[in-house]
Amino acid sequence: MSYQLTIEPLGATIEVEEGQTLLDAALRQGIYIPHACGHGLCGTCKVQVSDGEVDHGHANPFALMDFERDAGKTLACCATLASDATIEADIDEEPDAEIIPVRDFDCVVSRIENLTPTIKGIFLKLDKPLHFQAGQYVQVVIPGVQGARAFSIANSPAQVKATGEIELNVRIVNDGAGTTWLHQQLKAGDHLLISGPYGRFFVRKSATSPVIFMAGGSGLSSPRSMILDLLDAGSTPPITLIYGQRAAEELYYDAEFRALAAEHPDFTYVPALSNEGEGSTWAGARGFVHEVAKTHFAGNFSGNKAYLCGPPAMIEACIATLMQGRLYERDIYTEKFLSAADTGQQRSPLFKRV
């Protein structure tokens, strides 16, 4: 059985299978509804049901409160239809966004590399071509683990097209069932099911402003894909990457970015360490990403576009620093890595969409 879902203000009507979430149905038709955690915890995908009946599913009562349910609101990531329905979603037009329907892929693990003591590079051979915008991510189904896990694609669209292979950078999380399985159980030759592409974290190429990437931990994966894509295109505005880790052994793709900076005069690479011992041979920047960025740009970020990717605490600190340096919402784009613990936090009060 299936139902018809009309999505306003687009006026688009799509088919939703029984048990399929509103968000999944929309994304598979190339219709983007803003979302973040995908598990009913953060409230980003909240929509208004103006007609019809829905089942709210496992929506967290703090993300979707009782009075909101009574007022006809629901979370698209976990709501299913009980009849034909109409919803009103907060959909902004993005002229640089490509309309790419989400699809399923059966992948074979071609190889696994130890990038740092805590981060592995997992390379997946796809069963069919994947078109995506640099910065987007895929959802990975992990055997024995409830709920798919999101990982950004770390190589560029040109590399994926040439090799038929995507790279995922996976940092092991303490007590994380998904990342622990990927680190300890997965091996070359295994099959994994993924779906994608997801997300609206991509470079606004129609803009000519200089670009700042601020990344922490395994949050480097999206910026790497985006930077490689920009450099592949040839003529680009000035690009700066400020990448933070705790210690030198955790920096990965450091040699690659240093080589790119030497090859491309408009690309600047600033690695930063926040917990490197004073007695080490490290001669680069020390401190957190936002602190190093403030020093590098002398506290003035106006005229740039900024793309932030990393843990929520890093994102919040970077947003505050950028705003203090005269950069505002229209020029800041984020990709947070959200765990179940993180999604219980409130989103930044500074922005509507961040």
Side-chain angles (χ1 to χ4, degrees):
M1 178 183 293
S2 63
Y3 298 104
Q4 298 294 305
L5 175 67
T6 300
I7 303 173
E8 298 294 359
L10 300 179
T13 299
I14 63 174
E15 189 170 292
V16 182
E17 298 296 329
E18 185 175 9
Q20 184 180 27
T21 67
L22 311 188
L23 179 62
D24 184 66
L27 294 175
R28 289 179 183 275
Q29 295 295 320
I31 298 174
Y32 180 81
I33 294 176
H35 60 282
C37 75
H39 302 293
L41 297 169
C42 71
T44 305
C45 65
K46 195 172 295 175
V47 297
Q48 177 73 43
V49 181
S50 55
D51 185 53
E53 299 293 329
V54 302
D55 182 335
H56 297 295
H58 53 270
N60 185 285
F62 292 101
L64 184 68
M65 297 185 179
D66 288 341
F67 76 88
E68 292 178 307
R69 298 172 193 240
D70 294 341
K73 295 189 182 296
T74 195
L75 301 184
C77 72
C78 52
T80 57
L81 291 185
S83 70
D84 292 345
T86 299
I87 62 171
E88 297 175 15
D90 187 11
I91 300 175
D92 294 326
E93 286 192 19
E94 280 280 6
D96 290 293
E98 295 184 35
I99 299 174
I100 309 174
V102 167
R103 296 192 297 163
D104 298 318
F105 298 82
D106 184 1
C107 308
V108 177
V109 180
S110 52
R111 67 187 189 278
I112 300 174
E113 296 181 3
N114 292 320
L115 300 177
T116 78
T118 62
I119 300 173
K120 289 184 182 290
I122 298 175
F123 295 80
L124 302 177
K125 194 75 173 180
L126 303 167
D127 64 337
K128 53 182 173 284
L130 167 64
H131 178 62
F132 70 102
Q133 290 185 267
Q136 291 189 296
Y137 66 93
V138 296
Q139 295 274 9
V140 180
V141 177
I142 301 173
V145 177
Q146 184 177 7
R149 299 295 192 267
F151 297 101
S152 298
I153 302 171
N155 43 352
S156 71
Q159 291 173 329
V160 173
K161 184 176 180 180
T163 64
E165 185 178 78
I166 64 169
E167 176 187 351
L168 308 179
N169 299 156
V170 180
R171 181 179 67 87
I172 193 166
V173 177
N174 291 335
D175 300 321
T179 60
T180 298
W181 190 92
L182 292 171
H183 269 247
Q184 298 180 1
Q185 303 295 323
L186 188 68
K187 61 185 183 299
D190 287 350
H191 282 255
L192 281 178
L193 296 176
I194 69 169
S195 61
Y198 294 95
R200 284 213 164 181
F201 190 60
F202 54 82
V203 175
R204 274 60 182 176
K205 293 183 178 180
S206 62
T208 58
S209 308
V211 180
I212 306 170
F213 291 97
M214 302 167 74
S218 58
L220 181 64
S221 52
S222 287
R224 179 177 182 249
S225 177
M226 297 158 88
I227 290 167
L228 292 174
D229 188 47
L230 285 171
L231 296 178
D232 284 344
S235 178
T236 65
I239 303 167
T240 302
L241 168 63
I242 300 176
Y243 173 50
Q245 278 281 20
R246 289 176 56 82
E249 65 178 0
E250 289 293 335
L251 283 176
Y252 71 104
Y253 287 124
D254 182 63
E256 176 184 78
F257 284 118
R258 290 180 187 273
L260 288 172
E263 180 183 352
H264 299 275
D266 285 335
F267 174 56
T268 302
Y269 170 52
V270 185
L273 302 180
S274 63
N275 198 37
E276 181 75 356
E278 291 296 331
S280 78
T281 59
W282 177 252
R286 292 175 182 265
F288 294 107
V289 170
H290 66 285
E291 298 168 334
V292 173
K294 184 175 182 178
T295 299
H296 182 80
F297 285 91
N300 183 9
F301 301 99
S302 62
N304 290 275
K305 293 280 187 182
Y307 297 85
L308 321 180
C309 190
M314 187 212 90
I315 297 293
E316 295 297 331
C318 288
I319 289 172
T321 299
L322 290 168
M323 292 190 70
Q324 291 166 7
R326 300 182 60 80
L327 199 67
Y328 303 110
E329 177 177 6
R330 67 180 181 275
D331 294 316
I332 300 175
Y333 306 91
T334 71
E335 182 80 301
K336 293 182 183 180
F337 288 122
L338 295 169
S339 67
D342 294 327
T343 52
Q345 303 172 3
Q346 291 292 321
R347 289 188 296 154
S348 171
L350 301 176
F351 289 165
K352 168 187 172 184
R353 61 172 174 79
V354 172

